[in-house]
Each structure stands twice: as C-alpha cells, then as structure tokens.
Amino acid sequence: MELGEKQREELKQLRAQLQAMKHGVSKGDKKAKKRISAEMKRMEEEMIERHKREKEDWQSANTSEIVDDGKIGEEVDSEEEQPPSMTRAQKRREKKDAARREAARRIATEEEELEKSSDRRKEWDGLVRILQAQGLTVREIRPDGDW
C-alpha cells in the first residue's frame, strides 16, 4: 500500500474511533466531554505530526535512492510533477465552452455559405458586373441617421 493511501486509511480509522469516543460520553457530563475533547484533539494532532514525519522520511529516502542509469529511483513526487487536475465543474465549463465555440464556428460557416448562394448576393454581383461593363462603380453612402 502506498504511503498516502495508508495515511488516509489511518486518519479515517482515527476519526471513526474519535466519533465513538464522543458518542460514548453521556450528555450531562461536561467534565468528561471536556476531557474527551482534549484527548481527541491531542490524538489527531499526534497523527498529523506523525504523518508529516513519515512523508518527509519517505521523500528523503526516495530522493537519495539513485539507480545506475542516473535516474532517481521510483517516481519521486509524481503528484507534484503533474499539473493540478481539473475539478468536475472546471471540466464541465471547459466542455460547454468548447461546444459553444464549435457551434459559433459552425453557424458562421453556414452563414458564409448562405451568403455566397443567396438571391441577394447573386443580384448584387450581377449589378456590379453590369456597372463594371459600363465603366461605373458602386459607392456606398453611409447613413447619417436622419430620415
């Protein structure tokens, strides 16, 4: 079992034990509750401190372990080397954004295709061709906003 898995399991068992201790005290006994609360806090702090020491020892042992081909032993700090993983919400947002971008791109492409083959476009192109044959050009006059 890997160190992290072992520590999670130990912490889970400790919390279950602490919960049982807490439920074992009668409601009206304030002194016992206070004593149990202090003991629970102490036990949890000891466990956390022990886990920190174990992790530091494990890291120092694995970083000093060098294989013949110049690589460090097993994957050291593989959790730290990987980029932070995305949460479900982030993945969902990314997926929605990608779908929106794809839909917008598809709509723009379809509009371009429709624009190329629309009656309006055909009429405009025909008008421009006729005017060019006569040596004339189309000038756009921007509206000034007055009717």
Side-chain angles (χ1 to χ4, degrees):
M1 188 182 302
E2 198 173 313
L3 181 66
E5 293 175 19
K6 181 181 139 209
Q7 288 181 349
R8 277 191 294 277
E9 186 64 32
E10 286 177 355
L11 193 58
K12 184 178 175 182
Q13 289 174 354
L14 176 69
R15 290 200 173 134
Q17 180 184 358
L18 296 177
Q19 199 66 274
M21 288 171 57
K22 192 186 329 183
H23 291 298
V25 178
S26 63
K27 267 189 171 179
D29 195 357
K30 289 186 178 184
K31 287 183 181 178
K33 278 185 181 180
K34 197 172 192 180
R35 181 178 45 80
I36 292 295
S37 177
E39 187 176 343
M40 288 170 47
K41 188 174 182 179
R42 180 190 56 79
M43 289 172 69
E44 194 163 2
E45 287 174 352
E46 285 177 359
M47 171 88 58
I48 290 171
E49 184 62 34
R50 184 170 53 85
H51 284 179
K52 283 181 184 177
R53 282 194 315 268
E54 286 177 356
K55 188 173 182 180
E56 289 170 0
D57 293 344
W58 182 80
Q59 286 177 343
S60 65
N62 281 339
T63 55
S64 64
E65 212 177 272
I66 298 179
V67 180
D68 293 336
D69 60 348
K71 294 182 182 175
I72 296 178
E74 297 179 21
E75 299 267 335
V76 179
D77 299 332
S78 61
E79 296 172 1
E80 293 176 10
E81 291 175 5
Q82 297 174 350
S85 61
M86 294 172 57
T87 63
R88 289 182 189 163
Q90 288 173 328
K91 289 179 183 177
R92 190 173 55 244
R93 283 186 215 111
E94 289 275 330
K95 191 174 180 181
K96 282 184 179 179
D97 288 342
R100 280 191 203 118
R101 284 191 300 270
E102 175 61 26
R105 186 193 58 76
R106 189 176 57 245
I107 289 170
T109 305
E110 289 173 1
E111 286 177 352
E112 287 176 13
E113 291 296 321
L114 287 174
E115 179 67 28
K116 288 179 184 176
S117 64
S118 71
D119 292 337
R120 179 179 182 205
R121 183 65 181 189
K122 290 177 184 175
E123 184 179 356
W124 179 259
D125 290 342
L127 180 64
V128 169
R129 233 180 291 118
I130 292 170
L131 291 175
Q132 284 178 348
Q134 296 176 0
L136 303 172
T137 60
V138 177
R139 287 193 177 175
E140 290 189 31
I141 301 173
R142 292 189 178 176
D144 59 359
D146 293 335
W147 288 85

